[in-house]
mmCIF file of all heavy atoms in Angstrom:
data_model
loop_
_atom_site.group_PDB
_atom_site.id
_atom_site.type_symbol
_atom_site.label_atom_id
_atom_site.label_comp_id
_atom_site.label_asym_id
_atom_site.label_seq_id
_atom_site.Cartn_x
_atom_site.Cartn_y
_atom_site.Cartn_z
ATOM 1 N N SER J 2 57.682 84.561 84.905
ATOM 2 C CA SER J 2 58.342 84.367 86.267
ATOM 3 C C SER J 2 59.822 84.484 86.207
ATOM 4 O O SER J 2 60.362 85.119 87.086
ATOM 5 C CB SER J 2 57.976 82.907 86.889
ATOM 6 O OG SER J 2 58.448 81.978 85.901
ATOM 7 N N SER J 3 60.370 84.116 85.023
ATOM 8 C CA SER J 3 61.815 84.332 84.882
ATOM 9 C C SER J 3 62.024 85.757 84.686
ATOM 10 O O SER J 3 63.119 86.290 85.144
ATOM 11 C CB SER J 3 62.217 83.565 83.562
ATOM 12 O OG SER J 3 62.020 82.254 83.727
ATOM 13 N N PHE J 4 61.137 86.468 83.978
ATOM 14 C CA PHE J 4 61.375 87.945 83.790
ATOM 15 C C PHE J 4 61.326 88.666 85.140
ATOM 16 O O PHE J 4 62.226 89.482 85.423
ATOM 17 C CB PHE J 4 60.348 88.543 82.866
ATOM 18 C CG PHE J 4 60.313 90.063 82.763
ATOM 19 C CD1 PHE J 4 61.274 90.683 82.006
ATOM 20 C CD2 PHE J 4 59.377 90.803 83.449
ATOM 21 C CE1 PHE J 4 61.344 92.046 81.941
ATOM 22 C CE2 PHE J 4 59.414 92.189 83.402
ATOM 23 C CZ PHE J 4 60.460 92.761 82.603
ATOM 24 N N VAL J 5 60.317 88.250 85.988
ATOM 25 C CA VAL J 5 60.228 88.890 87.366
ATOM 26 C C VAL J 5 61.483 88.603 88.139
ATOM 27 O O VAL J 5 62.026 89.471 88.840
ATOM 28 C CB VAL J 5 59.026 88.319 88.060
ATOM 29 C CG1 VAL J 5 59.000 88.837 89.470
ATOM 30 C CG2 VAL J 5 57.736 88.849 87.278
ATOM 31 N N LEU J 6 61.989 87.337 88.080
ATOM 32 C CA LEU J 6 63.210 86.994 88.754
ATOM 33 C C LEU J 6 64.390 87.828 88.371
ATOM 34 O O LEU J 6 65.167 88.345 89.155
ATOM 35 C CB LEU J 6 63.510 85.482 88.504
ATOM 36 C CG LEU J 6 64.663 84.870 89.402
ATOM 37 C CD1 LEU J 6 64.439 85.036 90.887
ATOM 38 C CD2 LEU J 6 64.964 83.486 88.933
ATOM 39 N N LEU J 7 64.536 87.975 87.017
ATOM 40 C CA LEU J 7 65.615 88.764 86.442
ATOM 41 C C LEU J 7 65.502 90.221 86.900
ATOM 42 O O LEU J 7 66.462 90.854 87.348
ATOM 43 C CB LEU J 7 65.733 88.748 85.020
ATOM 44 C CG LEU J 7 66.240 87.321 84.459
ATOM 45 C CD1 LEU J 7 66.063 87.355 82.935
ATOM 46 C CD2 LEU J 7 67.733 87.188 84.788
ATOM 47 N N LEU J 8 64.197 90.745 87.004
ATOM 48 C CA LEU J 8 63.978 92.122 87.392
ATOM 49 C C LEU J 8 64.358 92.260 88.802
ATOM 50 O O LEU J 8 65.032 93.316 89.192
ATOM 51 C CB LEU J 8 62.501 92.476 87.085
ATOM 52 C CG LEU J 8 62.119 93.947 87.482
ATOM 53 C CD1 LEU J 8 62.951 94.881 86.604
ATOM 54 C CD2 LEU J 8 60.644 94.094 87.220
ATOM 55 N N CYS J 9 63.972 91.305 89.667
ATOM 56 C CA CYS J 9 64.270 91.410 91.056
ATOM 57 C C CYS J 9 65.826 91.404 91.293
ATOM 58 O O CYS J 9 66.350 92.138 92.109
ATOM 59 C CB CYS J 9 63.674 90.243 91.846
ATOM 60 S SG CYS J 9 61.820 90.450 92.033
ATOM 61 N N LEU J 10 66.560 90.579 90.482
ATOM 62 C CA LEU J 10 67.929 90.518 90.648
ATOM 63 C C LEU J 10 68.616 91.807 90.250
ATOM 64 O O LEU J 10 69.567 92.274 90.958
ATOM 65 C CB LEU J 10 68.492 89.342 89.777
ATOM 66 C CG LEU J 10 69.999 89.099 89.762
ATOM 67 C CD1 LEU J 10 70.485 88.779 91.236
ATOM 68 C CD2 LEU J 10 70.346 87.992 88.761
ATOM 69 N N PHE J 11 68.115 92.395 89.167
ATOM 70 C CA PHE J 11 68.599 93.679 88.799
ATOM 71 C C PHE J 11 68.492 94.764 89.776
ATOM 72 O O PHE J 11 69.348 95.576 90.118
ATOM 73 C CB PHE J 11 67.943 94.136 87.396
ATOM 74 C CG PHE J 11 68.367 95.521 86.981
ATOM 75 C CD1 PHE J 11 69.454 95.693 86.388
ATOM 76 C CD2 PHE J 11 67.412 96.533 87.248
ATOM 77 C CE1 PHE J 11 69.840 96.988 85.952
ATOM 78 C CE2 PHE J 11 67.873 97.848 86.829
ATOM 79 C CZ PHE J 11 68.998 98.159 86.191
ATOM 80 N N VAL J 12 67.183 94.827 90.442
ATOM 81 C CA VAL J 12 66.950 95.795 91.505
ATOM 82 C C VAL J 12 67.893 95.592 92.633
ATOM 83 O O VAL J 12 68.450 96.411 93.265
ATOM 84 C CB VAL J 12 65.524 95.696 91.940
ATOM 85 C CG1 VAL J 12 65.207 96.513 93.158
ATOM 86 C CG2 VAL J 12 64.533 96.136 90.798
ATOM 87 N N LEU J 13 68.054 94.284 93.100
ATOM 88 C CA LEU J 13 68.930 93.939 94.137
ATOM 89 C C LEU J 13 70.392 94.438 93.939
ATOM 90 O O LEU J 13 70.987 95.019 94.790
ATOM 91 C CB LEU J 13 68.879 92.480 94.487
ATOM 92 C CG LEU J 13 67.665 91.955 95.286
ATOM 93 C CD1 LEU J 13 67.671 90.395 95.260
ATOM 94 C CD2 LEU J 13 67.573 92.536 96.623
ATOM 95 N N LEU J 14 70.864 94.131 92.621
ATOM 96 C CA LEU J 14 72.170 94.597 92.313
ATOM 97 C C LEU J 14 72.260 96.049 92.329
ATOM 98 O O LEU J 14 73.325 96.710 92.847
ATOM 99 C CB LEU J 14 72.537 94.062 90.945
ATOM 100 C CG LEU J 14 72.927 92.597 90.846
ATOM 101 C CD1 LEU J 14 73.104 92.093 89.449
ATOM 102 C CD2 LEU J 14 74.131 92.199 91.681
ATOM 103 N N SER J 15 71.246 96.749 91.882
ATOM 104 C CA SER J 15 71.266 98.218 91.826
ATOM 105 C C SER J 15 71.197 98.771 93.237
ATOM 106 O O SER J 15 71.959 99.728 93.552
ATOM 107 C CB SER J 15 70.005 98.743 91.032
ATOM 108 O OG SER J 15 70.008 98.324 89.686
ATOM 109 N N LEU J 16 70.448 98.120 94.088
ATOM 110 C CA LEU J 16 70.435 98.631 95.466
ATOM 111 C C LEU J 16 71.818 98.337 96.154
ATOM 112 O O LEU J 16 72.220 99.190 97.038
ATOM 113 C CB LEU J 16 69.294 97.925 96.287
ATOM 114 C CG LEU J 16 67.856 98.323 96.002
ATOM 115 C CD1 LEU J 16 66.978 97.330 96.676
ATOM 116 C CD2 LEU J 16 67.578 99.682 96.370
ATOM 117 N N SER J 17 72.434 97.237 95.818
ATOM 118 C CA SER J 17 73.724 96.946 96.383
ATOM 119 C C SER J 17 74.749 98.058 95.969
ATOM 120 O O SER J 17 75.549 98.433 96.784
ATOM 121 C CB SER J 17 74.277 95.594 95.963
ATOM 122 O OG SER J 17 75.582 95.330 96.383
ATOM 123 N N GLU J 18 74.747 98.416 94.713
ATOM 124 C CA GLU J 18 75.583 99.466 94.219
ATOM 125 C C GLU J 18 75.221 100.852 94.823
ATOM 126 O O GLU J 18 76.114 101.599 95.319
ATOM 127 C CB GLU J 18 75.548 99.627 92.723
ATOM 128 C CG GLU J 18 76.153 98.435 92.016
ATOM 129 C CD GLU J 18 76.159 98.653 90.509
ATOM 130 O OE1 GLU J 18 75.619 99.681 90.021
ATOM 131 O OE2 GLU J 18 76.699 97.785 89.781
ATOM 132 N N ALA J 19 74.005 101.133 95.014
ATOM 133 C CA ALA J 19 73.554 102.404 95.594
ATOM 134 C C ALA J 19 73.916 102.504 97.072
ATOM 135 O O ALA J 19 73.947 103.547 97.622
ATOM 136 C CB ALA J 19 72.101 102.622 95.306
ATOM 137 N N ALA J 20 74.056 101.422 97.746
ATOM 138 C CA ALA J 20 74.360 101.360 99.123
ATOM 139 C C ALA J 20 75.654 102.090 99.497
ATOM 140 O O ALA J 20 75.842 102.437 100.635
ATOM 141 C CB ALA J 20 74.317 99.900 99.731
ATOM 142 N N LYS J 21 76.555 102.200 98.555
ATOM 143 C CA LYS J 21 77.810 102.865 98.841
ATOM 144 C C LYS J 21 77.744 104.252 98.161
ATOM 145 O O LYS J 21 77.679 104.347 96.896
ATOM 146 C CB LYS J 21 78.987 102.071 98.256
ATOM 147 C CG LYS J 21 79.205 100.745 98.956
ATOM 148 C CD LYS J 21 79.655 100.912 100.412
ATOM 149 C CE LYS J 21 79.948 99.566 100.977
ATOM 150 N NZ LYS J 21 78.753 98.712 101.150
ATOM 151 N N ASN J 22 77.789 105.288 99.003
ATOM 152 C CA ASN J 22 77.790 106.588 98.420
ATOM 153 C C ASN J 22 79.225 107.130 98.273
ATOM 154 O O ASN J 22 79.747 107.794 99.215
ATOM 155 C CB ASN J 22 76.925 107.611 99.310
ATOM 156 C CG ASN J 22 76.705 108.902 98.661
ATOM 157 O OD1 ASN J 22 77.501 109.389 97.793
ATOM 158 N ND2 ASN J 22 75.676 109.606 99.084
ATOM 159 N N TYR J 23 79.811 106.799 97.142
ATOM 160 C CA TYR J 23 81.280 107.040 96.957
ATOM 161 C C TYR J 23 81.501 108.561 96.889
ATOM 162 O O TYR J 23 82.555 109.077 97.317
ATOM 163 C CB TYR J 23 81.835 106.365 95.701
ATOM 164 C CG TYR J 23 81.690 104.821 95.742
ATOM 165 C CD1 TYR J 23 80.698 104.222 94.885
ATOM 166 C CD2 TYR J 23 82.459 104.036 96.548
ATOM 167 C CE1 TYR J 23 80.622 102.869 94.856
ATOM 168 C CE2 TYR J 23 82.246 102.722 96.640
ATOM 169 C CZ TYR J 23 81.339 102.080 95.815
ATOM 170 O OH TYR J 23 81.122 100.716 95.786
ATOM 171 N N GLY J 24 80.602 109.247 96.377
ATOM 172 C CA GLY J 24 80.667 110.786 96.313
ATOM 173 C C GLY J 24 80.733 111.375 97.666
ATOM 174 O O GLY J 24 81.559 112.200 97.992
ATOM 175 N N ALA J 25 79.869 110.854 98.603
ATOM 176 C CA ALA J 25 79.872 111.386 100.018
ATOM 177 C C ALA J 25 81.230 111.067 100.666
ATOM 178 O O ALA J 25 81.765 111.884 101.459
ATOM 179 C CB ALA J 25 78.792 110.896 100.715
ATOM 180 N N ALA J 26 81.689 109.826 100.419
ATOM 181 C CA ALA J 26 82.945 109.450 101.024
ATOM 182 C C ALA J 26 84.116 110.260 100.499
ATOM 183 O O ALA J 26 85.065 110.624 101.241
ATOM 184 C CB ALA J 26 83.297 107.883 100.707
ATOM 185 N N LEU J 27 84.073 110.657 99.259
ATOM 186 C CA LEU J 27 85.141 111.522 98.673
ATOM 187 C C LEU J 27 85.073 112.920 99.236
ATOM 188 O O LEU J 27 86.048 113.502 99.641
ATOM 189 C CB LEU J 27 84.951 111.556 97.148
ATOM 190 C CG LEU J 27 85.883 112.439 96.333
ATOM 191 C CD1 LEU J 27 87.349 111.849 96.450
ATOM 192 C CD2 LEU J 27 85.485 112.649 94.982
ATOM 193 N N GLN J 28 83.863 113.437 99.356
ATOM 194 C CA GLN J 28 83.686 114.740 99.879
ATOM 195 C C GLN J 28 84.178 114.870 101.309
ATOM 196 O O GLN J 28 84.904 115.843 101.682
ATOM 197 C CB GLN J 28 82.207 115.204 99.830
ATOM 198 C CG GLN J 28 81.924 116.533 100.392
ATOM 199 C CD GLN J 28 81.342 116.495 101.864
ATOM 200 O OE1 GLN J 28 80.869 115.501 102.273
ATOM 201 N NE2 GLN J 28 81.455 117.667 102.519
ATOM 202 N N LYS J 29 84.017 113.801 102.114
ATOM 203 C CA LYS J 29 84.385 113.814 103.497
ATOM 204 C C LYS J 29 85.904 113.673 103.618
ATOM 205 O O LYS J 29 86.526 114.223 104.475
ATOM 206 C CB LYS J 29 83.683 112.646 104.293
ATOM 207 C CG LYS J 29 82.207 112.882 104.542
ATOM 208 C CD LYS J 29 81.569 111.792 105.147
ATOM 209 C CE LYS J 29 80.014 112.060 105.384
ATOM 210 N NZ LYS J 29 79.775 113.204 106.276
ATOM 211 N N SER J 30 86.500 112.897 102.735
ATOM 212 C CA SER J 30 88.016 112.791 102.668
ATOM 213 C C SER J 30 88.623 114.081 102.478
ATOM 214 O O SER J 30 89.582 114.368 103.119
ATOM 215 C CB SER J 30 88.450 111.751 101.617
ATOM 216 O OG SER J 30 89.781 111.557 101.655
ATOM 217 N N ILE J 31 88.099 114.925 101.584
ATOM 218 C CA ILE J 31 88.624 116.279 101.417
ATOM 219 C C ILE J 31 88.524 117.122 102.658
ATOM 220 O O ILE J 31 89.463 117.808 103.052
ATOM 221 C CB ILE J 31 87.926 116.986 100.201
ATOM 222 C CG1 ILE J 31 88.258 116.269 98.913
ATOM 223 C CG2 ILE J 31 88.365 118.437 100.084
ATOM 224 C CD1 ILE J 31 87.515 116.773 97.713
ATOM 225 N N LEU J 32 87.436 116.922 103.406
ATOM 226 C CA LEU J 32 87.185 117.681 104.675
ATOM 227 C C LEU J 32 88.324 117.262 105.758
ATOM 228 O O LEU J 32 88.807 118.081 106.480
ATOM 229 C CB LEU J 32 85.899 117.339 105.234
ATOM 230 C CG LEU J 32 84.686 118.023 104.655
ATOM 231 C CD1 LEU J 32 83.361 117.614 105.289
ATOM 232 C CD2 LEU J 32 84.932 119.598 104.838
#
Side-chain angles (χ1 to χ4, degrees):
S2 59
S3 297
F4 173 77
V5 172
L6 182 63
L7 286 171
L8 182 62
C9 290
L10 180 61
F11 174 78
V12 170
L13 286 171
L14 287 171
S15 299
L16 289 172
S17 176
E18 289 184 359
K21 298 289 184 295
N22 189 336
Y23 301 110
L27 179 68
Q28 181 261 341
K29 290 176 182 296
S30 182
I31 293 174
L32 283 176

